[in-house]
Amino acid sequence: MTNTLTDQLTRDLADRAATLLRGLGAEPPEDGELTARTPITGGVLATLPADSPESVDAAIGRAAAAFGAWRTVPAPVRAAVVRRLAELLTAHKTELAQLVTLEAGKIGPEAVGEVQEMIDICEFAIGLSRQLYGRTMPSERPGHRLMETWHPLGVVGVVSAFNFPVAVWAWNTAIALVCGDTVVWKPSETTPLTALACHTLLRRAAADVGADPEVHQLIQGGSAVGARLVDDERVALLSATGSVRMGRIVAPRVAARFGRCLLELGGNNGAVVTPSADLELAARAIVFAAAGTAGQRCTTLRRLIVHADVVGPLLDRVAKAYQQLRVGNPLDAGVLVGPLINESAHTSMRAAIERALADGGELICGGEPVPGFSEHAHYVRPAIVRMPAQTAVVREETFAPILYVLTYHDFDHAVALHNAVPQGLSSAIFTGDQREAERFLAADGSDCGIANVNIGTSGAEIGGAFGGEKHTGGGRESGSDSWKAYMRRATNTVNYSTELPLAQGIQFG
Ligand code: UN1
């Protein structure tokens, strides 16, 4: 594409972004030092002001002040804000999804799916608002009641990544709000416009139901802005999604001030394919999990561990499907793989493939840039590399569509290979053998936070707890009882007798 055409397309996309923002109720931002780009052309959509240290402190202050009253609003009443947010998201689904496409480069169906995920978590949170259950335990003493109460925690700092620029915010915010917390959100500096849109919708939802809009604050900028959130004593919980590198910096700093962390860091997700697997189904699942979202999900399938007897027929199917994948402008119907987010993602992808080949890997397909786009955009064909061993590059997460293929002969070895990486987010087994499936899910099976059978590693539903072990950080967000991370537990012993028996039968005096 010529430079003139690219510039024209970027201008059109920038206009479209401004129109979408207005449709979502947000005024296009004033100029500033933060740059919102579109990976579709690599060009600039808008610039906007970044927060200063003072404005971050002030935002945290407003969230802390709002918490004082918000925590006493009954949880089912707090849910009204989330219900209204769900209504607004439903009404503006297409607009918000398009903004996600412009800013993160997701194809239409995946961007719409992401907004659907937001609506789903809102519904979950609304129901949850009547189910923030504490237990009652039998007391060992007569005339006593022993129970626990869950209380709002405080200000929750949410740090989110570019690849799920809106859903991960919603997972945290919908749950935090019904739990009685207030939120300060630091989105990825790569996706400030979608953040502005979500913030505007949420503040409007609060205003519409008569709640305090200050329960949600948005701070924009780079790592310096995030760092203030990390170090601020008023932030009770820091929920951070991003790289292991980021987690290594954040976790000790939050711990040093005895704050809580909920970390959702990198994954290096693997799938074991056994001889009894339905190869047709496995191939379909593998293609979506490995190439979908241009390999830029934290749940993306990065390692295939295939039994030697079926590796040939499986790879034939997967490689054939890869050849048919349309890579291109995510606004075009029929495109399944959009661009990488930026040049650095492309450089990492190239470097990883080179290292894999130097380790004796064989490039089955992909890896090359797709011609015909702006020189500042990064469209690549998803790659498959067959590896002789799980070398260092395979044990690292490269946030791009590279699928490494390893083979095994013995099931125990497959499980061991699967677990022999630092990360522990998502995993899958494809098998028709119940023993193998159960073993994969058992204590000595997959060591990940997510372990699936006959389904890929990505695309989790919101109803389950989401997160992983080891270098993935150990946090759990979204469904099940993840809400407990957003509340504080008080244990209460109530004596309704006229005696004062001491626990453990102690006699004192
Ligand atoms: C992420 O990539 O940070 O399971 C989240 C999935 C999505 C969420 C991914 N529901 O792939």
Side-chain angles (χ1 to χ4, degrees), residues 146-494:
L146 182 59
M147 63 176 193
E148 63 189 17
T149 321
W150 290 89
H151 294 301
L153 186 63
V155 176
V156 174
V158 177
V159 174
S160 58
F162 81 87
N163 66 329
F164 270 80
V166 293
V168 170
W169 165 74
W171 293 355
N172 282 283
T173 302
I175 304 277
L177 287 178
V178 297
C179 288
D181 302 325
T182 57
V183 173
V184 181
W185 181 22
K186 209 299 264 172
S188 162
E189 60 186 306
T190 317
T191 53
L193 300 183
T194 43
L196 192 59
C198 291
H199 176 65
T200 307
L201 291 179
L202 180 56
R203 302 269 292 205
R204 186 172 145 203
D208 285 355
V209 300
D212 182 2
E214 301 296 336
V215 295
H216 191 262
Q217 306 290 329
L218 173 65
I219 53 174
Q220 302 256 36
S223 54
V225 168
R228 290 198 85 84
L229 199 58
V230 168
D231 291 333
D232 198 305
E233 294 265 354
R234 294 169 296 179
V235 177
L237 168 70
L238 189 87
S239 175
T241 301
S243 64
V244 172
R245 197 179 62 85
M246 179 269 289
R248 266 193 215 287
I249 298 169
V250 162
R253 279 165 67 164
V254 175
R257 61 173 178 83
F258 297 104
R260 281 196 207 169
C261 247
L262 194 168
L263 296 177
E264 210 260 276
L265 310 174
N268 192 354
N269 316 296
V272 175
V273 183
T274 79
S276 59
D278 174 339
L279 294 185
E280 206 52 54
L281 178 144
R284 287 212 312 276
I286 288 163
V287 175
F288 172 69
T293 328
Q296 300 173 113
R297 285 192 190 219
C298 52
T299 49
T300 290
L301 178 64
R302 309 198 182 279
R303 298 179 298 128
L304 255 191
I305 302 163
V306 192
H307 193 277
D309 288 353
V310 290
V311 71
L314 180 74
L315 272 190
D316 285 349
R317 285 177 167 86
V318 175
K320 200 165 143 218
Y322 262 52
Q323 246 97 54
Q324 281 155 15
L325 283 174
R326 261 186 74 193
V327 181
N329 185 333
L331 291 166
D332 293 347
V335 164
L336 290 178
V337 180
L340 294 179
I341 190 70
N342 53 28
E343 186 178 359
S344 132
H346 194 177
T347 310
S348 309
M349 180 173 177
R350 266 200 307 258
I353 293 176
E354 268 167 36
R355 277 174 70 196
L357 299 185
D359 288 345
E362 178 201 349
L363 187 64
I364 306 285
C365 65
E368 70 276 18
V370 178
F373 294 96
S374 149
E375 55 181 324
H376 303 296
H378 301 276
Y379 293 84
V380 287
R381 294 212 62 85
I384 303 178
V385 188
R386 193 153 173 192
M387 295 298 294
Q390 187 156 263
T391 59
V393 69
V394 183
R395 294 196 300 272
E396 285 169 22
E397 179 192 46
T398 302
F399 218 61
I402 306 173
L403 179 62
Y404 299 110
V405 182
L406 300 153
T407 46
Y408 79 92
H409 291 94
D410 165 63
F411 187 71
D412 281 340
H413 176 60
V415 174
L417 205 56
H418 174 272
N419 290 346
V421 294
Q423 311 82 354
L425 179 55
S426 188
S427 61
I429 187 168
F430 292 91
T431 184
D433 181 330
Q434 194 183 3
R435 285 193 184 125
E436 286 174 343
E438 291 293 339
R439 168 71 203 291
F440 191 72
L441 304 184
D444 55 351
S446 161
D447 62 1
C448 290
I450 299 171
N452 297 336
V453 177
N454 291 330
I455 188 168
T457 51
S458 68
E461 301 178 16
I462 56 92
F466 184 95
E469 304 301 334
K470 302 193 291 186
H471 290 196
T472 303
R476 291 297 186 279
E477 310 173 277
S478 192
S480 186
D481 65 350
S482 306
W483 61 270
K484 290 181 175 171
Y486 299 79
M487 300 197 87
R488 65 180 174 85
R489 180 197 330 235
T491 300
N492 314 124
T493 309
V494 179

